[in-house]
Amino acid sequence: MHGQLIARDGFAQPKAAERVSIQYLRAVAALMVAGVHLQPQLERLDHGGAWPQWLIGGVDIFFVISGFIMWLTTRGRPQTPLVFYRRRFRRIVPLYWLMTAFIVSVLLLAPDLLYSARLDPWHVLASFAFIPYPNPATGLLEPLLIPGWTLNYEMFFYLLFGAALLIPDRGRVIAVSVLLCAIVSLQALNPSPDTLLSFYTSSIILEFLLGIWIGVWHLRERRRPTVHLSLTLLAGGFAAMGVLPTLWPELPRLIGLGLPAAVIVAAALRLEQAGGIPDWRGLRLLGDASYSLYLSHPLVLSAASRIWKQMGLPGIGAPAWTFVPAAMAACVAVAIALYLTVERPLATRRNLRRMPPPGRPAGAGDTGDEHSY
């Protein structure tokens, strides 16, 4: 792979931002999550029927990628927990807070425009603070910006992983593994549903650990991958993600969606190493904009279904299915616009502030950390 760095132990250590496969998977994962959230909009347009709920596995792909990137961007690059937390805050928080503030403003000015949000001061504060709190509109532990429930897990993982930076590389992966497994084992206490204990002890947090171990394996694997085997594993991962939760819905999420997500991420990385992934600028841009797409798509889909219904399109011969490509195109367009006008300028200003003086090399943390979600 081009642009590789050689770590002190002799293993190749490419920059995280140069992995086109990860960028593509971000785009695919965000589109999957947007796709699964089409169902309630179609129901509002009086279109019933089954819908591929396994598309929610895009969240699990994101979690595996997050663990992978956190390992890559910290391994062999000493940094304090405080520096790590500051970089994670700058990456995740500004856009999320802006989107949440937008929802609050809509609830204050025109609350009827939002289907699944109610104004509750404690819920608003919890949403900004990344604390799981019952959504007054749904009763679930969801923030105002509903996809933000995954960010509550992300922030919890960052809190634990950042503290583990005090441990040398060789012991860190073991310490994080033991800690996350111990936390999940607390499910044996049978916590009540929709409580903080049940939320944070979900097996879904082990998907971050899968990503970490993929990072360990990926940096040390020396055998040359083949395109055919990588493609087979990639296709098998997506097939398993579609089949396992459908045939065995009682399976823990870690098994039904997490393990297939790990296979997908590992296979995509190997496929890129084998030279089987072309560099498509448009898909790479969508990967860059995946965080904007992930956060903005619920609002775009809600607005799109309202406009669609007010225009009477389902009633004048246009079937509800035509809403799907139109709504997804709107989500992509808004996400790219949001990324280019808000998310990227914010990141650019952060990078300029962190730029070292002339003559001093960039620090270890300045190598692709901006693309970690």
Side-chain angles (χ1 to χ4, degrees):
M1 180 185 294
H2 67 280
Q4 287 183 329
L5 304 176
I6 303 301
R8 286 190 295 271
D9 60 5
F11 294 114
Q13 192 170 14
K15 293 182 180 180
E18 292 178 352
R19 286 181 170 80
V20 176
S21 56
I22 294 298
Q23 290 300 91
Y24 288 0
L25 282 182
R26 286 194 182 99
V28 170
L31 289 172
M32 288 170 64
V33 176
V36 78
H37 289 153
L38 279 166
Q39 184 182 24
Q41 310 304 330
L42 288 171
E43 290 175 350
R44 290 174 185 136
L45 297 174
D46 301 321
H47 175 79
W51 193 253
Q53 293 298 319
W54 65 269
L55 291 175
I56 196 61
V59 167
D60 305 82
I61 294 175
F62 271 130
F63 281 4
V64 175
I65 288 175
S66 184
F68 173 77
I69 294 298
M70 288 306 98
W71 178 251
L72 242 63
T73 55
T74 58
R75 177 184 179 273
R77 301 166 183 172
Q79 61 180 282
T80 65
L82 185 59
V83 170
F84 175 82
Y85 294 144
R86 185 171 67 245
R87 287 173 176 158
R88 294 292 83 221
F89 182 93
R90 289 172 174 173
R91 173 69 184 101
I92 298 297
V93 173
L95 185 61
Y96 174 74
W97 276 1
L98 284 173
M99 298 293 295
T100 301
F102 175 76
I103 294 178
V104 172
S105 66
V106 173
L107 286 173
L108 289 172
L109 299 174
D112 292 339
L113 291 179
L114 297 178
Y115 290 112
S116 57
R118 300 291 185 273
L119 193 58
D120 175 88
W122 290 110
H123 184 235
V124 172
L125 290 175
S127 296
F128 278 105
F130 298 97
I131 297 173
Y133 190 89
N135 187 320
T138 66
L140 303 175
L141 294 179
E142 298 171 334
L144 274 171
L145 187 61
I146 289 178
W149 68 268
T150 64
L151 298 185
N152 294 340
Y153 281 117
E154 287 279 349
M155 289 301 188
F156 182 58
F157 169 61
Y158 295 157
L159 179 67
L160 301 177
F161 189 84
L165 292 175
L166 297 171
I167 304 172
D169 285 350
R170 290 184 180 274
R172 185 184 312 145
V173 65
I174 301 300
V176 173
S177 300
V178 171
L179 180 58
L180 290 180
C181 289
I183 291 172
V184 172
S185 70
L186 295 177
Q187 277 285 334
L189 300 176
N190 295 318
S192 301
D194 296 326
T195 61
L196 287 179
L197 182 60
S198 65
F199 183 88
Y200 284 123
T201 58
S202 169
S203 67
I204 198 173
I205 67 172
L206 294 181
E207 295 175 2
F208 298 111
L209 185 58
L210 292 176
I212 291 174
W213 279 105
I214 288 173
V216 174
W217 163 79
H218 180 67
L219 292 176
R220 294 185 176 273
E221 178 58 52
R222 294 178 179 270
R223 289 175 296 179
R224 183 173 180 82
T226 64
V227 171
H228 294 302
L229 177 59
S230 300
L231 279 173
T232 300
L233 290 174
L234 186 64
F238 278 108
M241 185 173 283
V243 170
L244 291 178
T246 302
L247 296 182
W248 297 283
E250 70 281 358
L251 283 175
R253 183 162 183 159
L254 176 67
I255 306 299
L257 293 174
L259 290 180
V263 171
I264 289 168
V265 173
L269 288 165
R270 297 296 279 171
L271 183 60
E272 182 174 4
Q273 281 188 322
I277 296 183
D279 190 354
W280 291 322
R281 181 176 299 180
L283 191 53
R284 189 151 41 88
L285 173 61
L286 188 55
D288 291 338
S290 60
Y291 187 48
S292 292
L293 174 58
Y294 185 78
L295 293 183
S296 65
H297 78 268
L299 297 174
V300 177
L301 290 178
S302 180
S305 65
R306 281 184 176 274
I307 294 171
W308 196 266
K309 196 164 188 176
Q310 288 176 359
M311 294 176 64
L313 293 179
I316 58 174
W321 274 101
T322 59
F323 172 76
V324 172
M328 292 296 287
C331 287
V332 169
V334 170
I336 292 176
L338 186 63
Y339 168 73
L340 294 177
T341 61
V342 179
E343 185 183 354
R344 189 169 71 173
L346 285 173
T348 301
R349 284 194 288 271
R350 291 196 304 268
N351 290 336
L352 287 175
R353 287 196 299 268
R354 289 161 49 192
M355 187 175 296
R360 184 169 68 83
D366 303 326
T367 56
D369 192 39
E370 303 308 322
H371 290 293
S372 56
Y373 192 83

